[in-house]
Amino acid sequence: MAIGALIIGDEILSGRRQDKHLAKLIELLSARGLSLAWAEYIGDDPERIVATLKRTFATGDIVFSTGGIGATPDDHTRQCAARALGVELELHPEAKRLIIERTLESAPAGEPVDLNSAQNLHRLNMGTYPAGARIIPNSYNKIPGFSVGDHHFMPGFPVMAWPMMEWVLDTYYSHLHHATPHEERSVLVFELVESELTPLMVEIERDFAGVRVFSLPSVGDATRGGIYAKRHIDLGVKGDPALVEPAFEALRKGVYTLGGTMVEIDGEVL
């Protein structure tokens, strides 16, 4: 069971808004010993959303979806989730109660509230989910998100979505927290190019099953300055802690043999 993210909204693809959810979800997962396996960005195209959700529902993955669960004409995620599952939309009774509660709280003091007005009845659409859905509490304004199986749908607003992500992780997946031991070690490598390092990387993955080697080349980042301004490769290993240390030692020896210079992130030259 992998963990994935769907970030929905034309405003992200057009550049009107910058996505902040991906980095936050990675942070929340990492704090719990978990990691993100995949992520996709989708615009507000109902047919594409339906097709994507049909595919992701079929994987059995844990999926966090942000955006498109409101009640304006450009919000399609609730309807698309129902279509992807082949079920009807239903007004969730607890969501209805919370939306009404929020409506009453938001009204100006002393003014009567007509819960049957067109505007207030329309607000209830935010509580219509695919049949069988469960609500995700919203600590910001009470308007819930919803879950269907291991798919979890939340608003595009970080102030609402991020606490929802934490709630989902801690409510449904606490048994997965730190269940798979994981460690990562890396160095910055200079004077070598990736093609020279590739045979070494293949050799280490062959000799240390359960360890993966990663290579992140950079032409140099003048804005960071210092050693980062020089052309380098962020080279490392990650995986089973029992194997990471010997694999990392083999990696360093291999870089030495190839004539490269290494610098630990804390600045120690190796």
Side-chain angles (χ1 to χ4, degrees), residues 1 28 34-35 39 59 71 78 86 139 149 157 166 179 182 205 210 217 236 240 248 258:
M1 179 183 286
L28 295 175
L34 301 170
S35 61
T59 65
R78 293 177 295 102
S139 60
F157 300 103
E166 290 198 84
H182 180 87
E205 289 199 347
D240 185 343
F248 184 60
L258 292 169

Side-chain angles (χ1 to χ4, degrees), residues 106-264:
S106 301
E111 290 191 14
V113 178
D114 180 5
L115 293 176
N116 291 313
S117 70
Q119 179 181 1
N120 286 330
L121 289 174
H122 182 72
R123 285 178 176 170
L124 294 178
N125 287 329
M126 292 186 291
T128 59
Y129 313 133
R134 313 177 306 278
I135 66 168
I136 303 174
N138 183 340
S139 60
Y140 182 77
N141 69 358
K142 296 187 177 181
I143 310 299
F146 67 95
S147 298
V148 180
D150 287 306
H151 275 55
H152 309 283
F153 299 87
M154 51 208 67
F157 300 103
V159 70
M160 302 179 195
W162 295 356
M164 288 183 177
M165 290 177 182
E166 290 198 84
W167 185 89
V168 167
L169 286 169
D170 295 340
T171 300
Y172 295 125
Y173 305 111
S174 60
H175 62 289
L176 299 179
H177 295 185
H178 305 285
T180 303
H182 180 87
E183 188 175 325
E184 185 172 310
R185 295 287 306 275
S186 67
V187 291
L188 302 184
V189 176
F190 301 88
E191 286 92 38
L192 293 175
V193 296
E194 273 194 307
S195 59
E196 295 174 287
L197 291 166
T198 299
L200 172 64
M201 297 168 67
V202 171
E203 179 183 320
I204 288 174
E205 289 199 347
R206 181 197 67 206
D207 294 344
F208 298 91
V211 167
R212 294 173 60 187
V213 184
F214 60 87
S215 171
L216 303 171
S218 171
V219 297
D221 186 351
T223 60
R224 295 184 71 180
I227 58 174
Y228 294 99
K230 299 170 59 179
R231 184 185 296 270
H232 63 272
I233 299 172
D234 185 354
L235 184 67
V237 294
K238 57 186 177 181
D240 185 343
L243 296 174
V244 162
E245 191 59 38
F248 184 60
E249 184 61 29
L251 185 74
R252 293 193 298 181
K253 287 180 179 178
V255 172
Y256 275 132
T257 301
L258 292 169
T261 299
M262 290 173 288
V263 179
E264 292 271 19

Side-chain angles (χ1 to χ4, degrees), residues 20-29 162 165-166:
K20 299 179 181 178
H21 296 302
L22 184 61
K24 185 62 177 182
L25 179 56
I26 291 170
E27 174 191 321
L28 295 175
L29 290 171
W162 295 356
M165 290 177 182
E166 290 198 84

Side-chain angles (χ1 to χ4, degrees), residues 29-53:
L29 290 171
S30 179
R32 293 160 174 79
L34 301 170
S35 61
L36 192 68
W38 57 266
E40 295 186 32
Y41 290 89
I42 315 171
D44 295 313
D45 174 9
E47 297 308 315
R48 188 177 296 276
I49 296 172
V50 170
T52 300
L53 287 173

Side-chain angles (χ1 to χ4, degrees), residues 1-3 54-63 149-151 173:
M1 179 183 286
I3 301 175
K54 282 184 177 179
R55 172 169 48 83
T56 60
F57 276 126
T59 65
D61 288 349
I62 298 168
V63 178
D150 287 306
H151 275 55
Y173 305 111

